């Protein structure tokens, strides 16, 4: 069996890991690389393997850095099954066409500049139609339902607690060439314990090899009690200053968790009623899918859905779909909260809200999740005083606040705790989905605590025989 790291090695985006066994090629995830526009286009355009020779894809969850290049893979000749949980399949049905729309818009933006510079024009790698066709290849598999997906390879999904439908991938492999049987665990993205909406990541057993995310290696999130007071303080300040609170948030899971938390805090008397807007058509659609799969959420959320009120709706909340309604938010007078995608502030309506509000000292921009290096969100989090938004430079005068307790990723200690709960030899561990310093920090901690495991930081295009 050979394992090749084709993405999210030395970086946090573009998850792709290729397993070759028994003459078959199994691809774990097929995500988009996110970063500088030109670099992202080039990385996402080229695969380090022939898509037509991939036999099967196993998808850990719906986030675009794990699923977003599937339409391109299918367009380039992959015609096998894409195995995912039912909720992941439903989320992909809205997220992949949305990502395709953004990709086409980005290509149009690049081409306008290339035309001015008299450079050859670029062609979109895939379209919304390609994304919709790709969905026909999805096969839904529930948690704890073992399924033979290739010769000698059985797949089992268990809950990762990261986002609705997210899964850890267990592959039980019978290597015909060596006659050895082994179990490989791909963590996907590991969620945090005690999430308001989702169940905790599940433990696994008899694991020989691990491909493990390391996004927050060496970093620790704010405590939940501190984060609640942090939010209340920000909103009270916004009300006093009659400013805007702009929250770049991923349309899936982060937005729904924010809505749930804001509702809870307001009922606790943390702050008075404040007009709140979710300005993301994708987030609105994703919220409907959360309601559809409410049985996969925590009992408290299910109770709210079935017995009391909508867990993702409250007085003063407006869900914005129409473009003109979105533009009208620029004319708002007085205090308001605007939640908009994308979470890294690279695409979508959030760019227009930042463009119109970033230079007002009465406003606050609150980041509630990870931002990949070189994205606009990363620059704001890092304290850049001038940023480029949609082609123009703006001075940053708004307050920039960071609240990583809302992150869907386990922090350093939670990653170690997750690893402790994985039972079995764990002889080889490969750290992926992390910036180099994050992966290295986690490696040092794992080496100190689990000397019986050989821990390596995966390198892009590295091939390992197991």
């Amino acid at each position: 069996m050979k394992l090749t790291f084709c993405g999210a090695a030395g970086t946090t985006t573009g998850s792709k890991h290729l397993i070759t066994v028994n003459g078959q090629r199994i691809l774990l995830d097929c995500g988009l690389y996110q970063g500088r526009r030109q670099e992202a286009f080039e990385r996402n355009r080229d695969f380090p393997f022939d898509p037509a020779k991939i036999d099967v894809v196993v998808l850990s969850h719906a986030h675009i850095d794990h699923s977003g290049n599937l339409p391109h893979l299918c367009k380039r000749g992959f015609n096998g099954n894409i195995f995912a949980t039912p909720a992941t399949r439903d989320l992909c049905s809205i997220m992949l066409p949305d990502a395709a729309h953004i990709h086409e818009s980005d290509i149009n933006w690049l081409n306008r500049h290339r035309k001015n510079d008299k450079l050859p024009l670029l062609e979109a790698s895939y379209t919304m139609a390609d994304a919709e066709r790709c969905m026909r290849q999805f096969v839904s598999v529930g948690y704890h339902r073992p399924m033979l997906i290739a010769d000698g390879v059985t797949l089992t999904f268990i809950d990762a607690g990261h986002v609705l439908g997210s899964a850890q991938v267990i592959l039980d492999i019978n290597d015909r060439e060596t006659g050895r049987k082994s179990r490989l665990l791909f963590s996907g993205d590991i969620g945090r314990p005690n999430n308001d909406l989702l169940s905790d990541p599940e433990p696994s057993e008899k694991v020989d090899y691990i491909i493990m995310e390391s996004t927050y290696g060496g970093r620790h999130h704010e405590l939940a009690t501190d984060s609640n007071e942090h939010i209340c303080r920000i909103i009270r300040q916004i009300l006093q200053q009659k400013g805007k609170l702009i929250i770049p948030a991923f349309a899936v899971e982060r937005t729904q968790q924010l809505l749930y938390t804001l509702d809870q805090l307001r009922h606790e008397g943390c702050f008075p009623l404040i007009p709140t807007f979710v300005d993301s058509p994708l987030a609105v659609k994703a919220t409907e899918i959360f309601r559809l799969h409410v049985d996969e959420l925590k009992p408290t959320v299910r109770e709210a859905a079935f017995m009391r009120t909508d867990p993702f709706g409250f007085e003063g909340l407006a869900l914005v779909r129409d473009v003109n309604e979105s533009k009208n938010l620029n004319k708002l007078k007085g205090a308001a909260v605007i939640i908009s995608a994308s979470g890294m502030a690279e695409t979508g309506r959030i760019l227009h809200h930042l463009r119109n509000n970033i230079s007002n000292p009465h406003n606050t921009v609150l980041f509630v999740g990870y931002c990949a290096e070189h994205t606009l969100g990363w620059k704001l989090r890092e304290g850049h005083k001038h940023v480029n938004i949609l082609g123009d430079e703006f001075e940053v005068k708004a307050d920039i606040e960071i609240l990583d307790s809302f992150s869907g990723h386990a922090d350093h200690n939670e990653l170690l705790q997750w690893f402790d709960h994985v039972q079995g030899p764990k002889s080889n561990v490969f750290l992926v989905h992390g910036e180099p310093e994050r992966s290295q920090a986690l490696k040092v901690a794992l080496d100190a605590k689990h000397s019986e495991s050989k821990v390596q930081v995966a390198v892009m295009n590295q091939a390992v025989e197991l």
Side-chain angles (χ1 to χ4, degrees), residues 50 53 190 243 250 260 265 274 319 375 438 446 453:
D50 182 353
K53 292 183 179 178
I190 302 165
F250 296 112
Y260 186 80
L265 292 177
I274 182 171
L319 304 180
T375 60
R438 299 292 157 222
L446 287 172
S453 299

Side-chain angles (χ1 to χ4, degrees), residues 56-129:
V56 64
V57 172
V58 180
L59 180 59
S60 65
H61 64 287
H63 280 154
I64 292 303
D65 59 327
H66 293 257
S67 69
N69 222 11
L70 283 169
H72 186 204
L73 186 80
C74 295
K75 182 180 179 180
R76 291 275 299 274
F78 169 67
N79 60 7
N81 290 330
I82 301 169
F83 291 98
T85 66
T88 294
R89 189 265 171 213
D90 288 347
L91 287 172
C92 282
S93 72
I94 61 171
M95 295 177 72
L96 293 183
D98 182 76
H101 172 69
I102 291 170
H103 172 60
E104 290 181 271
S105 299
D106 282 348
I107 294 301
N108 290 335
W109 185 90
L110 285 169
N111 280 340
R112 284 197 296 271
H113 288 264
R114 293 176 71 87
K115 187 175 182 180
N116 292 338
D117 296 335
K118 298 182 179 179
L119 294 172
L121 300 184
L122 303 172
E123 182 180 349
S125 300
Y126 57 92
T127 65
M128 291 180 68

